[in-house]
Amino acid sequence: MSMQGIARRVLLTIQIFVGITSVFGGAALVLGGVIDFSGTAMAIPQSYLDGSPFTSFLVPGLALAIVVGGTHLLAFVMLARRMRWTMIATAVAGFGMLVWVFVQMVFIPFSPLQAVYFGLGLLELAATLVQLDILHPWVHASVHRDRASQAPAARPD
């Protein structure tokens, strides 16, 4: 399988995973304002909002579900159907996730999930570069140089 084929599968996997988990995570944040989750694994301390522009998890929950989850699900569908503008949607989704994690780290304490999703965002953007064949000139130039340096020296006649 080619590097682009592998990158496509990586993108599809990341996009569906991030899309689904972001929609559910955003829904949990929104529902947390309506349902009392205290004492459960879904309980998020209200103190995380201290120093932020938000008084509830409603807007962050909607942003997570719609912006992060929505862009990833849209990019997944576009990539699966090989639609035009897919790579732009993929890049927007990847950068959107990185921005989400950066903003999140400003306001709430570090969580291992932040590192996981940040890593997934970086991997998503790297796979997008492979899909776009951005690395092509450098990869092929270095392979050509390596092969030339390994070739036997010409014998003088």
Side-chain angles (χ1 to χ4, degrees), residues 36-50:
D36 183 18
F37 288 122
S38 51
T40 69
M42 290 180 60
I44 299 173
Q46 189 72 21
S47 63
Y48 282 1
L49 294 175
D50 294 346

Side-chain angles (χ1 to χ4, degrees), residues 15 38 43 45 54 59 89 107 115 126-127 141:
Q15 289 167 348
S38 51
F54 308 109
V59 173
F107 294 109

Side-chain angles (χ1 to χ4, degrees), residues 68-140:
V68 178
T71 58
H72 276 85
L73 292 175
L74 177 65
F76 173 81
V77 169
M78 290 178 74
L79 183 60
R81 292 184 176 181
R82 300 178 191 272
M83 296 173 70
R84 188 175 187 190
W85 308 110
T86 297
M87 290 299 101
I88 290 174
T90 298
V92 166
F95 280 116
M97 184 158 52
L98 294 182
V99 169
W100 172 266
V101 173
F102 277 133
V103 170
Q104 194 180 51
M105 290 177 67
V106 168
F107 294 109
I108 66 173
F110 175 78
S111 161
L113 279 177
Q114 291 169 333
V116 168
Y117 280 87
F118 187 79
L120 288 173
L122 290 176
L123 183 57
E124 184 174 18
L125 292 174
T128 301
L129 291 175
V130 170
Q131 280 283 288
L132 291 169
D133 209 17
I134 298 292
L135 305 175
H136 180 79
W138 293 285
V139 170
H140 288 285

